[in-house]
Amino acid sequence: MDAVFFWMFAAVMVVASLLVVGQRNPMYSVLLLIVSFAALSGLYVLLNAPFMAVVQIIIYAGAIMVLFLFVVMLLNVRTEEDGAETHRPFDIGPGPRRFGAGLAVVLAVQLIWALRRIAEAPFVPAGPDAAAQTSVYAIGLRLFREYAFAFEATSVLILVAMVGAVILARRDPHLPTRKEQ
Amino acid sequence: MSAALIAQLVVIGFTFFMLLNSAAVLVLMERKVAAFIQQRLGPYRVGPWGAMQPLADIIKLMMKEELRPKSADTFLFYLAPILCATAAFAAFAVVPFGADTTFFGLLDEPVKLMATDVNVGLLVIFAITSMGVYGIVLAGWASNSKYSLLGGLRSSAQMISYELSYGLSLAAVIMLAGTLSLREVVDAQAGYWHLFGVLPIPKWYIFLQPLGFFIFMTAGVAETNRAPFDFPEAEQELVAGYHTEYSSMTFALFFMAEYINMVTVSAVSVNLFLGGWHGPFLPEYLGWMWFLLKVFALVFFYIWMRWTLPRYRYDHLMEFGWKWLLPAATLNLLVTAGVVIWMGW
């Protein structure tokens, strides 16, 4: 039974993720990404980690994707025009494009290497104690004892990002613009 | 099939059926209460006391023509109401509405009076509610109409803003109860405190968390897009907001989702703050009567509020959410945390 669900969720996830890249309409890309996240949350449930599953939905599918959706809706990019490559606003020229292609190759190599390593390691199915390990209590203890520093550092990082975003988006007439400096 | 499984399926089917009915009954209730408040009669032609009005409404909605704007995105246009209604139904799946019961001795082992018992139930409700936002946003976008888009944007901005206070007021209760399961939260509220040694006060969290209850209810009104926070549908400005372009059953789905959401928010706040099915006089196995009574009272409160208070201005709503409700919820959470640690609960 678990195996059936695993393959179902996995298939939905892979297909949805592929379609995210293949869509011409960014709105559909965002929605397919949500589908992919939902399937991932299903996988967490199969791994006896309901807390992770729900948090995955709340944070990724709920909070972050709503912001994505907002950006797509407000920018009103209806469809990505095909063909007319030279008229694209984000045309970056051949040099950066080659650099990007190189990065993609590096990523692919890394992925293959990582997947091979996983294939070598024995697969340990979620045992009866998995529920205890993934309970909110256990996760809370781990997060605030063993990984307290990482946790706090992340929150500082998010604060920095937030302040940065505010400064970038702000158009205060009293602040000197770049030209005046 | 074992008896327990059949009983569980009956409970699930019953929950679904009652939610479906609650939407119809609430429409009648809303119209009757509104009429009472405005010194009118309300619906009275269909059946005695207008009691058959919901049935007539349903037939009317089903007979109406299904319209779709020419430039709408067909797939998303029809997906949106389905998402909304599904999220509304799904959220109730983890809400318990009575103590474990054997159906008056019919079963050997008691079944839980809830569709499914998840040990992170509260978070599940929270997650599904946040999925419901997509239905509204998509309806606004896919209709390809300015009223719908503005309504959808407003609604989602409002829901996202109030979700924070909603979650923080939940967190305070979670800390007091020490569990994320709604059933266990209710069980933690059984029994009485004795004020001055005599006066019994039920151990409901509303007495420990009055501010939390207020925040939860306010955020709940905003989450369900009800007056005085019904900006998505502000008729005077936006015709009908995100469902302007919808007709017939697609409109009915949005309408139904709104009422079911109202029931869910009321049921959750009854479970969190008002002791769920615990109450005086009635034995434990009849606790669901208390539960229904409390939910009914809260729903009545919602309707009462809608027909009494005028709509806020949109910037006031945002200011209230971010500058008052969120700090208050944070303070409430911190104080609760401090007390919980200090008292060593």
Side-chain angles (χ1 to χ4, degrees):
Chain A
M1 198 63 182
D2 270 9
V4 174
F5 277 117
F6 170 78
W7 287 110
M8 204 175 77
F9 284 131
V12 168
M13 224 181 119
V14 170
V15 171
S17 307
L18 284 176
L19 285 176
V20 168
V21 189
Q23 289 299 317
R24 290 243 171 270
N25 190 336
M27 201 75 176
Y28 279 89
S29 293
V30 171
L31 292 174
L32 282 163
L33 201 53
I34 296 170
V35 171
S36 170
F37 284 148
L40 178 61
S41 135
L43 288 180
Y44 279 130
V45 172
L46 287 184
L47 287 171
N48 257 334
F51 179 69
M52 286 304 292
V54 176
V55 166
Q56 167 81 18
I57 293 274
I58 292 178
I59 296 177
Y60 285 96
I64 293 179
M65 293 320 286
V66 163
L67 292 182
F68 268 63
L69 211 62
F70 258 66
V71 172
V72 170
M73 270 167 70
L74 290 177
L75 289 181
N76 207 14
V77 267
R78 291 302 295 239
T79 46
E80 205 178 315
E81 277 123 284
D82 44 333
E85 296 233 339
T86 44
H87 295 299
R88 282 190 182 177
F90 299 114
D91 195 7
I92 46 173
R97 214 177 286 165
R98 275 193 208 112
F99 180 67
L103 277 185
V105 170
V106 172
L107 181 68
V109 169
Q110 276 182 340
L111 262 180
I112 291 167
W113 180 72
L115 285 176
R116 276 181 66 99
R117 273 195 53 179
I118 290 173
E120 280 164 17
F123 175 68
V124 187
D129 62 330
Q133 278 179 26
T134 56
S135 73
V136 185
Y137 184 73
I139 289 176
L141 278 185
R142 284 221 163 166
L143 206 56
F144 291 102
R145 280 189 183 157
E146 287 170 47
Y147 302 107
F149 178 74
F151 183 79
E152 296 300 333
T154 313
S155 58
V156 171
L157 199 67
I158 292 171
L159 185 69
V160 169
M162 221 158 74
V163 172
V166 168
I167 287 177
L168 284 178
R170 178 174 153 146
R171 289 204 188 89
D172 194 330
H174 303 298
L175 283 178
T177 56
R178 201 173 285 164
K179 273 179 197 164
E180 285 167 25
Q181 283 172 337
Chain B
M1 237 198 296
S2 68
L5 188 63
I6 294 173
Q8 193 63 50
L9 285 176
V10 167
V11 169
I12 292 172
F14 179 76
T15 312
F16 182 76
F17 184 68
M18 289 310 279
L19 272 181
L20 211 57
N21 277 338
S22 72
V25 172
L26 282 181
V27 174
L28 179 69
M29 183 173 154
E30 174 122 68
R31 293 178 68 175
K32 275 292 184 188
V33 172
F36 171 70
I37 289 175
Q38 298 171 342
Q39 297 194 331
R40 293 186 284 115
L41 281 175
Y44 66 95
R45 292 231 171 177
V46 194
W49 194 70
M52 290 290 124
Q53 187 68 37
L55 209 64
D57 282 348
I58 291 167
I59 293 171
K60 181 197 79 173
L61 281 168
M62 290 200 322
M63 293 296 160
K64 275 202 166 180
E65 189 188 352
E66 187 81 64
L67 292 171
R68 179 170 60 80
K70 204 174 167 190
S71 52
D73 188 313
T74 317
F75 178 68
L76 294 184
F77 187 78
Y78 288 119
L79 181 70
I82 297 173
L83 262 182
C84 250
T86 312
F89 277 111
F92 207 88
V94 292
V95 178
F97 48 90
D100 296 0
T101 179
T102 56
F103 289 114
F104 310 107
L106 209 64
L107 296 169
D108 303 330
E109 287 171 27
V111 289
K112 294 163 184 161
L113 276 184
M114 62 200 297
T116 172
D117 189 14
V118 186
N119 60 3
V120 287
L122 268 170
L123 291 179
V124 171
I125 293 175
F126 201 60
I128 293 173
T129 323
S130 67
M131 289 292 101
V133 180
Y134 287 114
I136 290 173
V137 177
L138 286 181
W141 186 81
S143 304
N144 207 359
S145 134
K146 52 181 172 292
Y147 295 127
S148 304
L149 184 65
L150 282 175
L153 280 178
R154 275 187 180 190
S155 160
S156 39
Q158 173 180 331
M159 282 167 107
I160 295 165
S161 309
Y162 278 76
E163 223 163 55
L164 294 170
S165 321
Y166 191 75
L168 284 178
S169 62
L170 276 183
V173 172
I174 293 170
M175 275 196 299
L176 282 177
T179 172
L180 283 169
S181 159
L182 268 171
R183 221 173 109 257
E184 287 166 28
V185 171
V186 174
D187 280 339
Q189 296 175 70
Y192 295 89
W193 289 299
H194 290 276
L195 203 61
F196 310 120
V198 276
L199 192 67
I201 292 179
K203 276 190 180 173
W204 298 349
Y205 285 144
I206 186 175
F207 298 116
L208 294 176
Q209 290 281 324
L211 184 62
F213 181 67
F214 171 74
I215 293 165
F216 187 86
M217 285 302 285
T218 314
V221 177
E223 287 277 305
T224 46
N225 295 324
R226 296 271 308 176
F229 298 145
D230 58 342
F231 293 92
E233 306 164 25
E235 312 70 309
Q236 293 87 345
E237 308 155 31
L238 292 177
V239 187
Y242 59 90
H243 56 60
T244 306
E245 304 293 347
Y246 286 88
S247 58
S248 179
M249 279 316 279
T250 45
F251 165 74
L253 284 177
F254 280 120
F255 203 54
M256 201 170 70
E258 185 187 318
Y259 281 99
I260 293 174
N261 278 333
M262 210 162 96
V263 174
T264 310
V265 168
S266 304
V268 172
S269 40
V270 163
N271 277 337
L272 286 180
F273 294 99
L274 297 176
W277 52 85
H278 296 300
F281 312 124
L282 285 174
E284 179 96 346
Y285 64 89
L286 287 178
W288 51 269
M289 286 186 180
W290 267 117
F291 183 82
L292 284 184
L293 202 68
K294 289 172 189 171
V295 171
F296 180 81
L298 280 187
V299 168
F300 180 81
F301 179 69
Y302 265 88
I303 294 174
W304 183 13
M305 204 153 58
R306 170 169 176 185
W307 296 101
T308 310
L309 296 174
R311 185 179 301 127
Y312 266 56
R313 224 170 66 198
Y314 191 63
D315 54 326
H316 284 181
L317 168 91
M318 281 299 171
E319 208 175 281
F320 180 67
W322 288 101
K323 292 187 183 166
W324 294 99
L325 216 54
L326 187 61
T330 316
L331 197 70
N332 184 45
L333 184 70
L334 287 177
V335 170
T336 310
V339 171
V340 166
I341 292 173
W342 183 52
M343 303 278 281
W345 278 337

